[in-house]
Amino acid sequence: MNPPAINDALRQLQGSPDALPWNERRDLVTQIADAIMSARKSPPKPALDLLRLLCDDPKMEVRKAIADQLHLLPDDEFVRLVARLAEDRNAFVRSAAERALERRKRSATVTSRRSRGLDKAE
């Protein structure tokens, strides 16, 4: 999805959380993930704003899709959203958020070990 489409979806959903069908809202998460991955430096602000908005979506499928894409986010945004989704009322969403947190922790440990040269000592 190109940035204008993200902007349009953000405007629509800010006006009414159910302005788009839930399956389109879920599909937006994949499109936001693509926009984040294609960004050279930091993710586009409208994409992050839309992701934050969708974190409160009434459909668990939308929130779980976000939890499944958390690994793409910069650290500050990751921390904010994983904290929200780890407290979600739906067990599938909570579980996906917890897996993302564990994945991030493992990745940080490996990165830390590599930077200190400890991965060669094993």
Side-chain angles (χ1 to χ4, degrees), residues 11-87:
R11 260 192 308 280
Q12 285 179 325
L13 293 172
Q14 283 173 329
S16 173
D18 59 351
L20 299 171
W22 75 267
N23 57 335
E24 287 182 26
R25 298 191 310 263
R26 182 196 58 213
D27 293 345
L28 277 171
V29 175
T30 302
Q31 295 166 357
I32 293 167
D34 292 343
I36 290 171
M37 288 189 303
S38 66
R40 297 213 185 271
K41 293 185 180 184
S42 61
K45 183 179 178 338
L48 292 176
D49 290 344
L50 184 54
L51 204 57
R52 286 185 213 112
L53 181 69
L54 291 172
C55 264
D56 294 325
D57 198 273
K59 292 295 280 186
M60 64 77 57
E61 293 87 350
V62 176
R63 298 188 314 274
K64 183 177 179 307
I66 293 169
D68 290 338
Q69 299 298 330
L70 287 174
H71 64 280
L72 299 174
L73 297 175
D75 289 341
D76 58 334
E77 203 63 42
F78 173 82
V79 169
R80 180 179 303 133
L81 295 185
V82 79
R84 283 172 66 182
L85 294 174
E87 298 294 323

Side-chain angles (χ1 to χ4, degrees), residues 79-99:
V79 169
R80 180 179 303 133
L81 295 185
V82 79
R84 283 172 66 182
L85 294 174
E87 298 294 323
D88 196 90
R89 64 187 174 273
N90 182 276
F92 291 111
V93 176
R94 282 192 313 270
S95 178
E98 290 165 6
R99 280 192 308 276

